[in-house]
Amino acid sequence: MPDTVRRPASRRPESRQRASRRATLGGIPAWVAAVAVVGALLIVVPIVSLATRVDWAHFGSLITSESSLAALALSLRTSVASTALCVILGVPLALVLARTSFPGKRILRALILLPLVLPPVVGGIALLAAFGRRGLLGAPLEVLGVTIAFSTVAVVLAQTFVALPFLVLSLEAALRAAGSRYEAVASTLGASPSTVFRRVTLPLVLPGLVTGAVLAFARALGEFGATLTFAGSLEGVTRTLPLEIYLQRETDPEAAVALALVLVLVAVIVMVATYGRREIR
Amino acid sequence: MIRRPFLAALALAGAATLLAGCASPSTGSGNGSTESPSETSATPVVEQTLTVFAAASLKDTFTELATEFEESHPGVTVSLNFAGSADLVSQVTEGAPADVVAFADEKNMAKLTDAGLIDGTPELFASNTLEIAVPPGNPQGITSFQDLAKPDAKVVICAAQVPCGSATVKIEEATGITLTPVSEESAVTDVLGKVSSGEADAGLVYVTDVEAAGDTVEGVTFPESSGAVNTYPIGVVAASTLPDLASEFSTLVTGADGQKILAAAGFAKP
């Protein structure tokens, strides 16, 4: 990513925003547009097909069973908690990556992005190695009477592990796009680094932070592999919605499909709220 | 302006991981097709591939049996697909090209016979019971089914929706002992993993799982296990293009050779 100074996000040219409302090819070759349609269909067709499999007559009762509601409530609770954790840890991390320079920064960034490309089950095994009962940190914690395995805390940890890179990446991009000119001006006017952070940097990148937090929330909501490996699966404690879907599939495929659609709807709402709003504004 | 394509890529990555997370454990390991049939005979042989869908707990034994079958049938390749029985049933129902199916319980086979997808009557070829698995050294000193109810023992079992879990429920009902597990897994392999990693103090798995796990876990047998026996049926799929070969494979499994290999892995007679 080029480290160029960009104008603040709020001052994007109006003409570009308007153009996206009319249907024009905008100068791209027709065949590119055609391939783009295929690409979009690859995503849309399976989602629409899922909706056709839903037993609509019983949809309500399928998604309001006791175990489904317990899973949904747990998923929402843990995803909110892990998003908060992502914001608390991710904002400083993004600032360090975007503003400071030190040897090994590229390597640090690559490491932080690892959960994006790792299979979640690998993340789960790594978390076990760290926080499991016999783990590097888990063993001393166990001596102190703190057990993480099989608890809701383990779910939040797993979700934060996979979601943190989403927040850090989008916030770092926003920080780079905003540039550091205003911060420099503020500090020459006598503002302390903390004041600059609070009064200049944060308000400037707030849209980027919101986007990052929403992405992190969505990723946390969908977390499956790391949770299954690291936290286990117990109703109301560690069995989140994706785990419930996976289990329901064994005996009650209709319930699994209905719950899957609920998860899709939540994801769609989240994505439209983030990206849809931006396109129209 | 960097932001938009960048975020779009990010969103894609997110979608991809979501999909990967949901899709990965569904089909069994790609242990399947080995593309080199033995060509020892001088006469030209017809290349044929027999596809066998088998329950995950049959992985070791059926891999061995497939090799034996390929040796005695030049030109034939046995392609194996291992997964949870419920997964396999839905694959066959959706039209996956299987010739032989073998499941961990009769309930799953019944779904296929009821739908008319099996040729003839399935045969029972093995049975499996539950055993307690504990980490090496048995830190909580578990020696009986009753010990699993100890308040400070972390016990992991299968969820009631899967075969090993329904067997667990049966034993709980028969003994009147209610377990308070720290986790109810959707696959017996996940239970075993939590025990062998030391996260759990005990888990309820199949006898054959303890056998296959080697030194990573210790087994504790308990008399009440006889109250919940899973019997394994094997059948030839009605839509098979190789019905003769398929029934020969089935005969190998139910015959003396097959029974010897299954017994060595800890399976009991049906």
Side-chain angles (χ1 to χ4, degrees):
Chain A
M1 207 146 308
D3 191 4
T4 46
V5 175
R6 296 275 167 177
R7 88 190 78 210
S10 54
R11 288 178 50 198
R12 260 187 261 154
E14 283 300 308
S15 57
R16 190 167 172 273
Q17 310 269 324
R18 290 275 147 74
S20 65
R21 284 193 183 181
R22 284 196 308 275
T24 61
L25 270 183
I28 66 164
W31 63 268
V32 170
V35 177
V37 168
V38 175
L41 286 178
L42 185 67
I43 309 280
V44 173
V45 168
I47 302 290
V48 172
S49 311
L50 179 71
T52 65
R53 283 274 179 112
V54 172
D55 179 4
W56 290 107
H58 302 105
F59 185 72
S61 59
L62 284 174
I63 62 164
T64 52
S65 73
E66 199 183 321
S67 56
S68 303
L69 288 178
L72 183 62
L74 180 71
S75 265
L76 292 175
R77 242 175 38 229
T78 52
S79 298
V80 167
S82 54
T83 306
L85 208 54
C86 280
V87 170
I88 291 166
L89 302 174
V91 171
L93 206 46
L95 265 173
V96 166
L97 287 178
R99 293 286 188 262
T100 67
S101 65
F102 55 90
K105 195 174 109 171
R106 276 163 174 247
I107 294 169
L108 177 70
R109 182 192 283 112
L111 285 176
I112 290 168
L113 299 193
L114 262 186
L116 282 182
V117 291
L118 278 183
V121 60
V122 175
I125 293 172
L127 284 165
L128 265 184
F131 297 105
R133 271 168 108 186
R134 296 180 181 174
L136 217 52
L137 302 172
L141 282 172
E142 176 105 350
V143 173
L144 296 172
V146 181
T147 321
I148 294 172
F150 304 120
S151 68
T152 307
V153 174
V155 178
V156 174
L157 266 180
Q159 290 175 343
T160 308
F161 181 85
V162 295
L164 189 56
F166 284 85
L167 186 127
V168 172
L169 265 188
S170 49
L171 186 57
E172 191 197 350
L175 281 164
R176 286 178 185 280
S180 53
R181 284 177 304 167
Y182 294 110
E183 292 161 16
V185 170
S187 62
T188 57
L189 293 175
S192 71
S194 289
T195 310
V196 173
F197 170 69
R198 208 160 28 86
R199 303 283 295 273
V200 180
T201 313
L202 266 191
L204 212 53
V205 297
L206 198 61
L209 178 59
V210 171
T211 306
V214 167
L215 276 175
F217 178 81
R219 180 66 189 90
L221 200 62
E223 209 322 287
F224 173 78
T227 309
L228 190 69
T229 317
F230 175 50
S233 173
L234 190 67
E235 188 177 313
V237 181
T238 52
R239 189 175 294 154
T240 55
L241 202 50
L243 270 69
E244 175 73 17
I245 291 171
Y246 187 59
L247 184 60
Q248 288 288 355
R249 215 177 38 109
E250 294 279 345
T251 47
D252 194 353
E254 273 84 34
V257 167
L259 285 174
L261 196 70
V262 170
L263 209 51
V264 168
L265 286 179
V266 174
V268 166
I269 291 168
V270 162
M271 286 321 231
V272 168
T274 321
Y275 294 105
R277 181 171 51 84
R278 248 164 218 236
E279 277 305 309
I280 294 158
R281 191 178 55 188
Chain B
M1 248 148 279
I2 294 175
R3 277 168 61 177
R4 200 169 298 208
F6 170 75
L7 283 174
L10 202 70
L12 265 181
T17 41
L18 280 172
L19 282 174
C22 295
S24 54
S26 63
T27 36
S29 65
N31 195 329
S33 47
T34 39
E35 285 297 322
S36 57
S38 49
E39 287 179 46
T40 41
S41 106
T43 51
V45 288
V46 189
E47 301 281 331
Q48 289 173 316
T49 300
L50 186 74
T51 307
V52 178
F53 281 17
S57 48
L58 294 169
K59 187 160 187 240
D60 293 345
T61 46
F62 268 50
T63 305
E64 205 177 331
L65 284 164
T67 312
E68 195 165 301
F69 193 76
E70 283 171 355
E71 276 165 9
S72 59
H73 294 75
V76 173
T77 304
V78 179
S79 169
L80 294 163
N81 176 19
F82 296 108
S85 295
D87 273 335
L88 295 174
V89 167
S90 64
Q91 285 171 21
V92 173
T93 312
E94 302 270 345
D99 298 302
V100 181
V101 287
F103 299 127
D105 62 357
E106 293 173 81
K107 208 170 71 187
N108 277 300
M109 184 62 95
K111 291 182 201 164
L112 293 187
T113 46
D114 290 351
L117 294 170
I118 297 295
D119 191 21
T121 316
E123 264 191 273
L124 301 178
F125 66 93
S127 70
N128 215 347
T129 47
L130 293 181
E131 187 172 337
I132 299 167
V134 295
N138 197 353
Q140 283 285 339
I142 307 281
T143 55
S144 67
F145 187 77
Q146 193 146 19
D147 284 350
L148 295 177
K150 278 193 199 173
D152 47 350
K154 285 187 192 304
V155 177
V156 179
I157 62 175
C158 286
Q161 286 90 334
V162 295
C164 57
S166 61
T168 305
V169 171
K170 253 189 227 170
I171 295 173
E172 283 186 272
E173 281 167 357
T175 55
I177 297 167
T178 308
L179 304 178
T180 47
V182 290
S183 184
E184 295 171 358
E185 305 287 338
S186 50
V188 70
T189 44
D190 286 325
V191 176
L192 200 65
K194 298 246 158 43
V195 174
S196 61
S197 67
E199 289 308 309
D201 298 317
L204 274 172
V205 298
Y206 290 118
V207 172
T208 51
D209 296 315
V210 175
E211 195 74 33
D215 295 335
T216 58
V217 298
E218 287 175 17
V220 178
T221 52
F222 56 102
E224 298 91 334
S225 68
S226 60
V229 181
N230 275 19
T231 38
Y232 285 57
I234 188 168
V236 175
V237 178
S240 169
T241 51
L242 302 164
D244 295 339
L245 218 50
S247 58
E248 274 181 56
F249 186 85
S250 172
T251 308
L252 171 70
V253 173
T254 51
D257 276 5
Q259 292 299 305
K260 205 171 72 189
I261 288 171
L262 286 159
F267 285 102
K269 295 267 176 202

